């Protein structure tokens, strides 16, 4: 594996264009081209709402965006005599195909896990794609047998 010389940093509103284009690239790869003239405005509105509890990271090579990940932070309800615990959900991990298997994803993941450790998060969870499972396993993620999931039953139309 060749390790890319990526710069990984927290992303802010000034990076909205880069994050929007990376999200478009991710969707195009998963679902094909889907014209959506309002996507940019919709993504910007979502980003504005999410900044209160979601932290974004951006990977760049030569000043060009090549990947991103984000961490949604959940704070538990306080209990008497105990501070509220916090945990994170890692989401929307994506690296442009031309830069995969070069260490960029690991650099993004290390930034998120470093942040989680420094802030005292008790866990980070995620729902990985099949392709990304080895990356997360190498970083120490394991199956979460203690979690339960509910999915609504679609109503017939």
């Amino acid at each position: 594996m060749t390790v890319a010389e990526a710069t990984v940093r927290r992303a802010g509103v000034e990076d909205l264009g880069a994050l929007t284009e990376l999200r478009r690239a991710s969707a195009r790869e998963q679902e094909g081209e889907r014209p959506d003239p309002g996507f940019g405005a919709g993504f910007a509105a979502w980003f504005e709402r999410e900044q209160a509890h979601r932290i974004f990271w951006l990977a760049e090579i030569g000043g060009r965006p090549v990947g991103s990940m984000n961490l949604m932070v959940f704070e538990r309800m306080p209990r008497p005599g105990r501070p509220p615990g916090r945990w994170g959900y890692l989401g929307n991990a994506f690296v442009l195909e031309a830069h995969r298997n070069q260490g960029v994803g690991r650099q993004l993941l290390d930034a998120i896990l470093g942040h989680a450790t420094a802030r005292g998060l008790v866990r980070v969870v995620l729902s990985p794609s099949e392709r990304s499972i080895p990356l997360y396993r190498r970083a120490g993620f394991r199956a979460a047998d203690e979690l339960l999931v509910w999915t609504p039953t679609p109503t017939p139309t």
Side-chain angles (χ1 to χ4, degrees), residues 95-127:
V95 174
L96 293 172
E97 187 175 11
H99 299 281
R100 290 185 192 144
N101 301 313
Q102 298 174 29
V104 176
R106 183 59 195 240
Q107 288 173 271
L108 283 160
L109 183 57
D110 286 348
I112 284 182
L113 298 180
H115 176 86
T117 300
R119 298 322 181 269
L121 273 63
V122 297
R123 74 179 55 88
V124 173
V125 299
L126 56 89
S127 181

Side-chain angles (χ1 to χ4, degrees), residues 25-144:
S26 172
R28 186 171 39 250
E29 186 176 294
Q30 293 174 6
E31 303 166 357
E33 190 66 48
R34 297 181 118 183
D36 184 352
F39 176 73
F43 188 87
W46 174 85
F47 183 84
E48 178 66 29
R49 289 188 307 272
E50 291 296 306
Q51 286 189 85
H53 51 269
R54 190 182 299 253
I55 304 159
F56 299 82
W57 277 266
L58 184 64
E60 298 171 311
I61 296 178
R64 297 179 49 124
V66 298
S68 65
M69 284 184 187
N70 63 65
L71 182 71
M72 179 178 271
V73 178
F74 295 86
E75 189 165 316
R76 291 179 179 247
M77 186 183 294
R79 296 173 71 166
R82 287 176 50 185
R86 294 184 306 153
W87 62 279
Y89 182 84
L90 189 157
N92 309 112
F94 178 72
V95 174
L96 293 172
E97 187 175 11
H99 299 281
R100 290 185 192 144
N101 301 313
Q102 298 174 29
V104 176
R106 183 59 195 240
Q107 288 173 271
L108 283 160
L109 183 57
D110 286 348
I112 284 182
L113 298 180
H115 176 86
T117 300
R119 298 322 181 269
L121 273 63
V122 297
R123 74 179 55 88
V124 173
V125 299
L126 56 89
S127 181
S129 67
E130 194 66 35
R131 182 180 69 217
S132 68
I133 290 173
L135 168 69
Y136 297 120
R137 292 263 189 222
R138 287 191 301 271
F141 283 80
R142 58 179 173 68

